[in-house]
Amino acid sequence: MDKNRLTIETPKGKFTKSNPIDGFQIISINEFKAIKSISSNVRNTSHKLYFDLIIFITHGKGEHSIDFQLYNYEPGTVFIIKNGQYHAWKENKEIDGYLIFFNADFYPKLGSGLKNQIIKLNNKSFLHPNFLIENNFETCIDLIKIIQSQYGLKIEQNQILKNLIHSFLTILELEYLKNHPFLNSNNNNNIFNQFYTILSNGTPLPNRNAIYFIAKLNTTYKKLNRLCKSVTSMNLKSFINLIIITRAKKELTRNKKSVSQIGYELSFEEVGNFSKFFKKQTGFTPKQYQKNQL
């Protein structure tokens, strides 16, 4: 990937935008909508990010798609989207706010404390990427504007900028945990994070059966099912199906593998079984879904 550029991938190709600080940029949503090289058609199509993104909504109400799930937003809503996830804008002329981009070039300049803070926030948000800021709404806007004013110096030489980013991220983390208090439990986090990592990472999935995950995690069906309900409001089987469908949609959107290969990597030995499963969950066959994305 080109250094100092922010890259997205859509079914119609890749788009990049240069940024003023190595791997870091804040722009308003209205500025983003005005970028001619990224058309509204691209913005409104699910596309893969090659950077981490924080979206802070200050005006407007609507829906935003992250990994093919729709989330409502209003003023004060924050979305945290990780490198490798897919998202899409739902056209809304009234929306405004800020986009905060981080890519791999930026993290080494932060020092371990700030880098770990961003990673920690990203890891918390994998299932609940949205939350609402109420008490610190104006404070966040002020911090963003001050951070923008510090663009002149490189991050390594600018302790003020590091402190400002730290303050902003600390507020986000505190507000996030207010919205999702269950994630305060480190023990629950560890078990569920391991489960989610096995289920969702990019390697071929060895098995779709809940028994496989229970054995890998040395836990019980009852405990893992209870954790799923607490974290996701879904039972264990439904959550496994959701992640499999999300992985399938990502691969179908990229349009770089055959349907049979995608099914095999998701633990379907027969492409027919994968197609039946996909249609039952989405209402479309894999090929129909893929065609709709192009």
Side-chain angles (χ1 to χ4, degrees):
M1 209 60 58
D2 294 339
K3 284 177 68 67
N4 306 332
R5 296 183 73 81
L6 301 168
T7 303
I8 65 175
E9 179 183 352
T10 78
K12 299 182 184 300
K14 290 186 178 180
F15 298 81
T16 62
K17 185 182 185 303
S18 61
N19 56 312
I21 296 180
D22 293 350
F24 175 71
Q25 185 176 21
I26 299 175
I27 63 173
S28 74
I29 292 175
N30 277 334
E31 287 179 284
F32 175 73
K33 289 190 289 187
I35 298 173
K36 293 182 179 179
S37 62
I38 304 179
S39 68
S40 60
N41 184 49
V42 170
R43 289 194 298 270
N44 298 337
T45 302
S46 286
H47 51 270
K48 182 179 180 180
L49 299 184
Y50 287 88
F51 49 85
D52 295 321
L53 174 64
I54 296 173
I55 303 175
F56 180 43
I57 306 295
T58 59
H59 297 85
K61 294 183 178 181
E63 293 180 325
H64 195 83
S65 171
I66 301 174
D67 278 349
F68 312 99
Q69 303 294 315
L70 286 177
Y71 298 90
N72 294 324
Y73 63 78
E74 60 183 276
T77 297
V78 175
F79 292 107
I80 299 175
I81 310 174
K82 294 176 64 173
N83 184 332
Q85 288 189 291
Y86 283 70
H87 87 133
W89 297 88
K90 300 300 176 183
E91 197 62 42
N92 182 350
K93 294 180 180 179
E94 304 301 320
I95 185 177
D96 199 11
Y98 296 94
L99 305 177
I100 304 169
F101 304 89
F102 305 86
N103 73 13
D105 297 320
F106 185 62
Y107 294 124
K109 308 174 195 306
L110 292 173
S112 59
L114 261 180
K115 179 181 177 181
N116 289 338
Q117 192 176 18
I118 295 174
I119 292 171
K120 185 178 177 183
L121 189 60
N122 274 339
N123 288 342
K124 279 188 170 71
S125 68
F126 60 82
L127 283 175
H128 302 289
N130 61 324
F131 59 99
L132 186 64
I133 291 178
E134 295 179 341
N135 297 335
N136 290 297
F137 179 76
E138 295 296 338
T139 301
C140 284
I141 293 175
D142 290 340
L143 279 170
I144 288 171
K145 290 179 178 178
I146 298 170
I147 290 170
Q148 285 180 304
S149 75
Q150 293 292 314
Y151 268 176
L153 294 174
K154 288 185 175 293
I155 182 72
E156 304 98 312
Q157 304 163 356
N158 193 340
Q159 190 59 45
I160 293 175
L161 181 55
K162 288 183 180 180
N163 291 341
L164 288 167
I165 294 172
H166 169 69
S167 297
F168 179 68
L169 293 175
T170 298
I171 290 174
L172 293 191
E173 185 173 4
L174 291 172
E175 294 285 348
Y176 183 88
L177 291 174
K178 284 182 188 176
N179 283 250
H180 307 294
F182 178 81
L183 296 178
N184 271 315
S185 169
N186 287 330
N187 185 47
N188 288 337
N189 266 340
N190 289 338
I191 295 173
F192 195 85
N193 284 349
Q194 290 177 56
F195 169 53
Y196 180 77
T197 299
I198 297 169
L199 181 59
S200 66
N201 68 21
T203 59
L205 185 64
N207 198 305
R208 293 177 286 115
N209 196 302
I211 295 173
Y212 168 78
F213 299 102
I214 291 164
K216 289 283 288 185
L217 297 168
N218 192 27
T219 187
T220 64
Y221 185 95
K222 184 177 180 180
K223 183 172 184 178
L224 193 55
N225 191 52
R226 186 176 68 246
L227 279 175
C228 270
K229 287 182 177 179
S230 297
V231 177
T232 72
S233 300
M234 288 181 277
N235 62 35
L236 180 56
K237 182 179 179 181
S238 296
F239 180 67
I240 291 172
N241 288 345
L242 172 66
I243 300 303
I244 289 172
I245 285 296
T246 300
R247 288 183 60 173
K249 285 180 176 179
K250 287 182 179 182
E251 293 297 343
L252 290 166
T253 299
R254 295 192 74 192
N255 195 25
K256 293 185 177 181
K257 296 178 182 178
S258 67
V259 171
S260 59
Q261 184 179 0
I262 294 169
Y264 181 77
E265 290 181 354
L266 294 174
S267 192
F268 291 88
E269 294 185 3
E270 299 291 336
V271 66
N273 291 336
F274 172 56
S275 295
K276 289 177 184 177
F277 171 82
F278 192 90
K279 186 171 184 179
K280 182 179 179 181
Q281 300 293 323
T282 68
F284 299 95
T285 67
K287 289 186 177 180
Q288 287 171 336
Y289 180 85
Q290 192 172 53
K291 185 178 180 181
N292 290 339
Q293 301 304 303
L294 300 177

